[in-house]
Amino acid sequence: MGELLRRILEECEGRFVSGQEIGRRLGTSRAAVWKQVQGLRRRGFGIEGARGAGYRLLGRPDLIEEPELFSRLSRPEFWKAFHLFSVIDSTNARAVEFAGKGAAHATIVCADAQTSGRGRMGRKWESPPGLNLYLSLLLRPPVDPTQAPQLTLVTAVALAAAIEELTGLQAKLKWPNDVYLDGRKAAGILAEMSADPDRLRHVVIGVGLNVNAESCDFPGELRDKATSLKIVAGRAFRRVEVLARFLDSFAECYGAFLSGGFKALLPSFRHRDVLAGRKVLLRQGGEEARGKVLGVDESGLLLFRREDGSRPEKIASGEILEFER
Ligand code: BTN
């Protein structure tokens, strides 16, 4: 509803078109045209109406649409399906559902807004509409289940590379799943996998990237910890462009991972590693420990030495609660 009207207004590139002319082209009354105008306004289109002149388009909402997305991809054939929702509980939850129904490898689930966006450690991921990217990638990689967690780091490298291309700024990575810009978190990754003891069934990789959020869009407690591309670069980004860059970057990193393992991406992770050489507070399960991060190894494990100076440990899962800047 309203698509034809939208096309007519777009064709006229900001010039007025009379209600009569629009009505003629749509085959409807002027009253019906007005109703459609209201519908487009509700979707975020800026439309000026002037008595005697008609209607003109002032601005478009920042929409993500499949045809434009795929026309921007360098490797569209990599992706097998794209599901776009205006509001959904969680793209990860929906991708897991799709996986259970046999959806193909390289299926994308994307939403304009989430009502129960999931973060790591059972936290909520703030997901207001119209501003950011929320998506999940369903993958069926031909690798051992023990390698699946490395996909979080592969995704982090892909995300950092895409952000750097778009903003020209250096992105930092905080093991295992955070992307930082200017010392604040701009994106998070949540991987969920399903495996038999010797076979990986699927991995769902959820990505939340703050694109056009302003500081006031974050809840009070996150305001000094979170950032967005817009905040650091000082300009807004079209989400479809950001999404296309990330998907291309992911396809490239995933290819490198399949042919060379995580080792192939280790240098790209290391040169952005924000924790290497820093004192940190690590939480694993219910335990917290202070120590120093030595880096990340070829399997994507965190090398951590406790404060009491014992030998370095290899950490497979955990969270860095604090780190020295
Ligand atoms: C983190 O805690 O840093 C990870 C956040 C991951 C959020 C994304 S938003 C899209 C996808 N769907 C979800 O429910 N969560 C992930």
Side-chain angles (χ1 to χ4, degrees):
M1 166 88 168
E3 277 319 296
L4 197 51
L5 168 61
R6 173 185 163 186
R7 231 175 292 150
I8 295 170
L9 293 172
E10 281 177 346
E11 263 168 39
C12 293
E13 291 173 343
R15 279 176 284 110
F16 278 105
V17 201
S18 72
Q20 197 181 12
E21 164 70 7
I22 297 173
R24 190 188 59 73
R25 290 182 60 183
L26 296 181
T28 52
S29 66
R30 284 165 73 167
V33 169
W34 185 80
K35 266 199 179 157
Q36 290 202 22
V37 167
Q38 292 299 89
L40 285 182
R41 282 179 176 151
R42 274 195 300 275
R43 284 170 54 197
F45 287 85
I47 299 174
E48 184 184 354
R51 206 178 285 275
Y55 300 100
R56 68 171 172 165
L57 188 62
L58 297 177
R60 295 181 189 88
D62 179 27
L63 296 177
I64 298 168
E65 290 171 317
E66 183 172 349
E68 184 182 359
L69 174 67
F70 276 77
S71 73
R72 285 174 172 271
L73 293 176
S74 316
R75 297 185 52 191
E77 71 289 349
F78 179 91
W79 302 102
K80 297 297 175 276
F82 180 67
H83 301 276
L84 180 63
F85 297 88
S86 52
V87 188
I88 200 178
D89 51 351
S90 149
T91 58
N92 265 34
R94 193 56 61 97
V96 168
E97 251 176 67
F98 282 137
K101 292 182 181 152
H105 164 75
T107 289
I108 306 162
V109 181
C110 185
D112 184 52
Q114 298 182 118
T115 51
S116 307
R118 301 176 183 169
R120 283 186 90 225
M121 310 287 166
R123 284 189 290 258
K124 185 172 163 31
W125 187 261
E126 293 296 328
S127 313
L131 293 175
N132 303 317
L133 283 175
Y134 319 111
L135 67 137
S136 300
L137 309 178
L138 163 61
L139 305 169
R140 300 186 184 278
V143 299
D144 192 81
T146 56
Q147 281 175 275
Q150 296 168 1
L151 279 162
T152 299
L153 310 193
V154 172
T155 307
V157 168
L159 204 43
I163 291 172
E164 287 172 2
E165 267 186 57
L166 287 156
T167 63
L169 301 168
Q170 214 208 348
K172 296 280 182 191
L173 298 177
K174 174 175 167 257
W175 181 93
N177 72 318
D178 292 346
V179 181
Y180 272 63
L181 288 168
D182 263 359
R184 293 176 185 195
K185 179 163 166 170
I189 298 163
L190 177 67
E192 302 182 45
M193 75 161 180
S194 158
D196 297 330
D198 57 344
R199 192 180 70 92
L200 186 57
R201 286 171 178 274
H202 69 253
V203 183
V204 165
I205 301 189
V207 175
L209 168 61
N210 299 328
V211 179
N212 290 321
E214 310 265 8
S215 172
C216 60
D217 294 314
F218 297 117
E221 69 279 10
L222 291 183
R223 246 166 241 171
D224 59 343
K225 298 190 184 115
T227 192
S228 71
L229 302 192
K230 183 174 183 185
I231 294 172
V232 295
R235 71 167 179 95
F237 291 82
R238 290 204 57 219
R239 288 179 301 168
V240 68
E241 183 192 354
V242 178
L243 179 56
R245 283 293 169 92
F246 165 64
L247 293 176
D248 275 344
S249 175
F250 182 85
E252 194 182 322
C253 292
Y254 182 78
F257 171 69
L258 285 194
S259 45
F262 177 65
K263 199 174 159 188
L265 293 145
L266 188 55
S268 305
F269 192 94
R270 279 198 177 138
H271 96 260
R272 298 179 174 103
D273 188 350
V274 76
L275 298 178
R278 313 233 174 224
K279 288 186 180 159
V280 303
L281 175 63
L282 168 72
R283 179 161 66 198
Q284 273 193 298
E287 252 183 54
E288 290 183 10
R290 289 204 178 270
K292 190 173 180 179
V293 168
L294 307 177
V296 167
D297 77 1
E298 288 184 354
S299 308
L301 302 175
L302 186 77
L303 303 171
F304 173 73
R305 187 163 54 217
R306 285 175 195 263
E307 227 168 25
D308 57 22
S310 53
R311 282 186 301 137
E313 294 166 39
K314 293 189 172 194
I315 309 294
S317 72
E319 187 177 26
I320 301 297
L321 298 176
E322 292 169 13
F323 61 99
E324 175 193 67
R325 308 246 168 178

